[in-house]
Amino acid sequence: LKNFTKQNTLTITCGLNLKSTVTLSSINENNMLVCLQRSLITINENIIEPADFKIELSKNYLPFSVMAAFVVLMLLDIKPENF
């Protein structure tokens, strides 16, 4: 991560800890609560402020898959209600 920071490369981390950019607040069979812990800037230059986002699930997904998909869709300026 230090090399990315030195090069001013956008680094977004996903994990189940307080240092991650994206983490999960809760997990159940029908939804996951994804927690954005730092602001993101989308490709359209919109700012997404830290918040919790409830993601409805149609089937069982791996937590890290949900977090990664969340980041990509948010960076593309696609709102969680449209996932």
Side-chain angles (χ1 to χ4, degrees):
L1 289 178
K2 289 179 185 178
N3 289 336
F4 288 114
T5 303
K6 289 178 187 176
Q7 298 173 2
N8 287 331
T9 302
L10 175 64
T11 305
I12 299 170
T13 57
C14 297
L16 300 176
N17 60 63
L18 296 174
K19 291 185 177 182
S20 296
T21 308
V22 175
T23 189
L24 296 174
S25 298
S26 70
I27 302 171
N28 69 45
E29 62 187 57
N30 299 322
N31 59 60
M32 289 188 192
L33 195 59
V34 179
C35 179
L36 178 62
Q37 300 191 111
R38 283 185 285 293
S39 298
L40 291 178
I41 299 175
T42 70
I43 61 169
N44 297 323
E45 298 185 10
N46 292 318
I47 298 173
I48 302 170
E49 297 294 339
D52 288 336
F53 299 89
K54 187 175 183 180
I55 308 299
E56 298 293 333
L57 304 173
S58 58
K59 64 180 189 175
N60 224 0
Y61 292 98
L62 295 173
F64 283 96
S65 298
V66 171
M67 288 186 283
F70 171 84
V71 169
V72 170
L73 293 170
M74 293 297 272
L75 289 173
L76 292 172
D77 228 345
I78 299 172
K79 305 288 185 249
E81 55 269 15
N82 297 322
F83 289 1

